[in-house]
Amino acid sequence: MTVLPNTPVFSVEGLWKVFGPKSERVPLDPELAALPAAELRSRTGCTAAVRDVSFDVRKGEVFVVMGLSGSGKSTLVRCLTRLIEPTAGAIAVDGEDVRAMDRTRLRELRRHRAAMVFQHFGLLPHRTVLDNVAYGLEIQGVGKAERRERAREVVTKVGLEGMEHRRPGQLSGGQRQRVGLARALAVDPEVLLFDEPFSALDPLIRRDMQEEVIRLHREEGRTMVFITHDLNEALKLGDRIALMRDGRVVQLGTPEEIVGSPADDYVREFVRDVPREQVLTVRTAMRAATHAEAGTGAAVTPDATVSEAIEAVARTGTPARVMDNGRCLGVVDSDALLGVVAGAAPGAAAGAEPRKEAV
C-alpha cells in the first residue's frame, strides 16, 4: 500500500457508536440521531456514546480528545483500532479502511502500528520490568536476545535504567506507568494511543509523566492520540484538542483557539478559569510596528505566550518586537497584552492568516 505524504495517520468521518437493541438504525434515522441522550434511551433503549464525529490526526502531532466522564472519549479511541466495533462511519489509518480489515490485518494494526497505553497498567506481576517491556515483541515473534536488547534501550529511554530486574510489585505507580509506556514504545508503533494513562497518579507523578510524554514527542516526533478529562493536561500536551460532550465534538482546535475563541457557552464555561496569559500567544495581541519600534526593544517569538511577553515588556518599559527568522512581524505593548489577560477579544495577527478547523 502506497501512503501519500499528506495522508492523515488516522482519518475519522461520521463515526457513530450506539449501544443497545437495533443500534444500527439510530445513525440512519435523522429523527433518532437528533434526539438528546435521555430521550433516545427512553424511546429506543439505545445509548449513543459517539455521535457523528469527524477529524483527522496528522503525522507527528499530539491530538488530544478531552471531555468529562460519559462524554464518549474513551469509546472513541477504542473505535480507532476496533477494540470497540463502530456502529457507522469511516475510519482509515494511512488511507487504509480499518472497518474492512480482516482479523489478521487488524491484529497487525494493533501489534505494530497503533499501541495503546491504558490507565490501568496491565503489567504481568510475575515478570520483571525488562520482560514486561519485551512482552509485545515476544507476541510479535521477535527472538529473545533481540527483544531483550530493544527492551533495554526503551527502559533507559523512559528513565528506568537499573530497575530492569524488579517486578511490578516493587515499583511505584509512576514507575509502573513508565513500564507501560516503555512496553508500547518497544514495538515502535507509528502512533501511540493513550487512554487517560495518568488519571490514577498523584499530582506530582502525573506532572512528571506529562513531561516525559512531551520529552519523548520532542525527541521522536511520534504521532500521539491522548485521551483525558483534565483540561490543564489537554492544554499542556495537545497540538490540537477535540472537546467532546454527549458523544459529539463541540470544538476542535489548537489550545489557543479553544481558550481564546470558545465555540459556545459550554466551552466558554469549561475554559473560564484557565490562565489565558499562559496559553494565548503574542499573535493575539500583536499590532503593526512603527519604523522606530521595528528596530528597538526586547524581542519575542510569535509562539511566545502572553505571560512571557509581559515579562519582556516589563523589563524594558517599551513594546516588544515579535521576531521570526530575523523579520519583525509586529509589536506587542502592555495595554494589548493586559487586554488579552482580561479577556478582551483577540486581535488579528499581523501578517498571519487566521487558522480554522472544521469539525
Side-chain angles (χ1 to χ4, degrees):
M1 182 186 67
T2 301
V3 180
L4 298 176
N6 295 324
T7 301
V9 176
F10 273 106
S11 182
V12 176
E13 185 174 355
L15 187 69
W16 285 80
K17 177 55 189 178
V18 184
F19 297 96
K22 299 182 180 178
S23 57
E24 67 281 353
R25 63 183 169 155
V26 175
L28 299 175
D29 186 328
E31 181 185 355
L32 293 178
L35 290 177
E39 190 172 348
L40 178 65
R41 278 194 299 272
S42 66
R43 285 183 54 176
T44 67
C46 292
T47 298
V50 177
R51 290 173 170 254
D52 195 22
V53 168
S54 301
F55 61 86
D56 289 337
V57 178
R58 302 163 184 163
K59 184 174 178 60
E61 78 170 329
V62 179
F63 186 89
V64 174
V65 182
M66 75 152 298
L68 301 177
S69 296
S71 62
K73 58 189 184 299
S74 290
T75 300
L76 173 60
V77 75
R78 283 167 164 78
C79 285
L80 296 181
T81 57
R82 285 174 53 197
L83 291 174
I84 292 177
E85 285 288 347
T87 305
I91 307 170
V93 56
D94 293 328
E96 182 180 0
D97 186 351
V98 173
R99 298 196 68 195
M101 289 180 175
D102 60 19
R103 286 186 178 182
T104 301
R105 195 68 179 151
L106 199 55
R107 191 180 303 117
E108 192 273 339
L109 168 65
R110 294 170 183 167
R111 289 184 178 177
H112 298 273
R113 300 165 71 182
M116 289 283 294
V117 181
F118 295 99
Q119 173 184 342
H120 302 292
F121 322 120
L123 303 182
L124 302 171
H126 60 287
R127 291 196 173 205
T128 65
V129 166
L130 195 66
D131 287 337
N132 265 285
V133 172
Y135 182 68
L137 297 170
E138 182 180 344
I139 295 298
Q140 290 180 4
V142 177
K144 184 174 182 179
E146 181 182 350
R147 69 177 183 254
R148 281 183 153 242
E149 180 59 32
R150 286 167 61 178
R152 284 191 186 91
E153 293 174 2
V154 181
V155 164
T156 299
K157 184 177 292 185
V158 301
L160 291 177
E161 190 173 12
M163 301 184 184
E164 293 88 344
H165 301 296
R166 295 187 186 181
R167 285 181 166 74
Q170 298 171 297
L171 303 176
S172 68
Q175 289 168 341
R176 289 196 296 272
Q177 189 56 278
R178 286 174 187 267
V179 177
L181 176 58
R183 183 175 55 191
L185 286 169
V187 298
D188 194 26
E190 180 181 1
V191 57
L192 282 169
L193 306 175
F194 294 87
D195 188 10
E196 298 206 66
F198 310 144
S199 60
L201 303 177
D202 70 53
L204 290 178
I205 297 175
R206 183 172 189 154
R207 185 178 63 190
D208 288 345
M209 290 304 302
Q210 291 167 355
E211 294 294 341
E212 187 70 17
V213 167
I214 291 170
R215 182 184 67 81
L216 288 170
H217 183 256
R218 184 173 59 245
E219 292 178 357
E220 300 188 347
R222 198 182 300 269
T223 308
M224 299 180 180
V225 178
F226 199 99
I227 308 301
T228 183
H229 66 269
D230 186 291
L231 178 61
N232 290 327
E233 186 166 74
L235 295 172
K236 183 175 184 178
L237 299 179
D239 294 313
R240 290 187 301 151
I241 299 169
L243 180 56
M244 293 189 71
R245 182 189 189 191
D246 296 334
R248 300 186 185 277
V249 173
V250 293
Q251 186 167 359
L252 171 58
T254 64
E256 187 171 8
E257 288 166 341
I258 287 177
V259 173
S261 302
D264 59 17
D265 289 342
Y266 178 76
V267 181
R268 193 170 294 109
E269 182 64 20
F270 220 103
V271 303
R272 182 183 63 179
D273 296 326
V274 172
R276 295 166 57 86
E277 68 275 12
Q278 296 178 18
V279 177
L280 302 183
T281 68
V282 295
R283 293 179 185 276
T284 60
M286 190 167 60
R287 62 171 172 80
T290 65
H291 180 72
E293 289 172 330
T296 61
V300 294
T301 67
D303 293 324
T305 64
V306 167
S307 178
E308 292 168 338
I310 288 173
E311 291 180 7
V313 170
R315 282 196 303 268
T316 62
T318 60
R321 295 170 297 152
V322 182
M323 302 294 294
D324 186 27
N325 293 324
R327 185 167 65 97
C328 181
L329 304 181
V331 297
V332 287
D333 55 36
S334 58
D335 288 344
L337 292 168
L338 294 176
V340 171
V341 175
E353 294 182 0
R355 302 171 65 177
K356 297 180 180 178
E357 296 286 353
V359 176

